[in-house]
Amino acid sequence: VGCDRSKNLVDICGEKHFQAFVCDALSVPIRSGSCDACISIAVIHHFSTAERRLATIRELARLLRPGGTALIYVWAMEQEYKNQKSKYLKEKNGSKNKGKETNTGTAQRPLSEQEPEKSSQDSAWSDKLLNDFKGEGCGAKPVADFRLPVHINRTSFHSQDLLVPWHLKGGTKKKEESVDTMLVPGGSKELQELSPVFHRYYHVFCEGELEAVCRSLDSVRVQNSYYDQGNWCVILEKL
């Protein structure tokens, strides 16, 4: 059974005769302890605070039966790891498209607008984790003016919190819409200029960060933690 925040993506699943429903990852309408396994791919990096990212993993753990497992993938800050470039960096568009992303708009939200009201325990932990991983951990530059930078597609990350352009091409195939890799659809220059560009929030994870979030929960243990093509990945077991 699948779930997603996007009704359009859930409708595509229905057309393919898969079971899926619309819901929020922070509140999944499934009975606690009823799942043998859960998979969360390219979801948690869209939550804008450490508190929400922790809450999402806690909700994932709630769904698992004792002994059940969960697989989590999030986008990595390190797109070049052990002298190997990720598939994301390797799949650059031709040089003629290289500079286009810089002109996709500068819509930026102040970080102060993204902060929810904080609970005591999670807030203290969230603040500590943010301080541990800010800046020095993976070379991220601090956002001095409290505005989110707009990422240039197919390049390395220079900030952990950023906006990634999504180019919506006219007549885009449903397959392209369902992939969470920020591919820039091909096409003529005129078509690209007329196509709308959306900016999606991302928090890219430094090495060890996802594992540290998971280890902060008493209800699960980390079975494995690894890097896979520009993603940090963790396998959890419900205690």
Side-chain angles (χ1 to χ4, degrees):
V1 178
C3 60
D4 198 282
R5 191 67 180 82
S6 167
K7 180 180 181 300
N8 289 341
L9 294 181
V10 169
D11 287 345
I12 292 172
C13 291
E15 292 170 4
K16 296 179 180 293
H17 306 293
F18 295 124
Q19 298 183 67
F21 58 90
V22 175
C23 81
D24 192 314
L26 289 169
S27 182
V28 180
I30 294 180
R31 178 169 50 86
S32 298
S34 60
C35 298
D36 295 316
C38 295
I39 299 174
S40 174
I41 306 293
V43 173
I44 295 173
H45 55 215
H46 287 300
F47 286 90
S48 60
T49 66
E51 184 178 17
R52 288 174 181 170
R53 294 188 286 271
L54 173 63
T56 309
I57 298 173
R58 180 183 289 112
E59 179 69 355
L60 197 66
R62 179 188 68 79
L63 303 175
L64 292 172
R65 64 165 176 77
T69 56
L71 172 65
I72 301 173
Y73 266 61
V74 295
W75 218 354
M77 178 80 179
E78 301 85 354
Q79 288 297 306
E80 189 166 345
Y81 186 68
K82 294 184 177 179
N83 297 321
Q84 293 290 325
K85 288 185 177 181
S86 69
K87 188 177 180 182
Y88 174 72
L89 291 184
K90 288 179 180 178
E91 289 185 354
K92 280 191 174 182
N93 291 317
S95 57
K96 62 179 180 179
N97 293 328
K98 187 174 181 181
K100 287 185 177 178
E101 305 304 334
T102 57
N103 297 318
T104 56
T106 56
Q108 299 177 350
R109 293 176 54 201
L111 290 175
S112 58
E113 292 180 8
Q114 301 176 22
E115 292 293 335
E117 293 183 5
K118 295 185 176 182
S119 61
S120 56
Q121 185 175 359
D122 282 352
S123 176
W125 177 87
S126 300
D127 291 342
K128 179 182 183 303
L129 187 71
L130 281 174
N131 289 332
D132 288 345
F133 284 97
K134 267 182 181 177
E136 295 181 6
C138 48
K141 296 178 181 178
V143 185
D145 62 355
F146 298 98
R147 290 182 181 272
L148 293 175
V150 177
H151 177 61
I152 298 176
N153 282 328
R154 305 293 169 184
T155 65
S156 298
F157 296 116
H158 301 291
S159 173
Q160 276 194 272
D161 298 279
L162 45 92
L163 299 174
V164 176
W166 172 273
H167 294 240
L168 184 62
K169 175 184 173 183
T172 302
K173 295 180 181 179
K174 291 179 180 178
K175 180 180 179 182
E176 291 173 342
E177 291 177 346
S178 66
V179 179
D180 192 21
T181 54
M182 276 51 64
L183 292 172
V184 181
S188 67
K189 179 179 179 182
E190 292 76 12
L191 183 58
Q192 287 186 351
E193 289 177 349
L194 292 174
S195 301
V197 177
F198 298 93
H199 293 86
R200 298 196 294 178
Y201 170 84
Y202 276 79
H203 172 84
V204 291
F205 282 68
C206 289
E207 182 174 7
E209 183 177 358
L210 177 61
E211 184 176 347
V213 178
C214 295
R215 290 190 185 282
S216 72
L217 297 176
D218 295 332
S219 60
V220 296
R221 74 176 183 90
V222 175
Q223 277 190 342
N224 195 8
S225 178
Y226 59 95
Y227 180 89
D228 180 26
Q229 285 295 337
N231 300 280
W232 287 114
C233 320
V234 164
I235 299 176
L236 300 176
E237 179 184 7
K238 179 69 172 288
L239 299 175

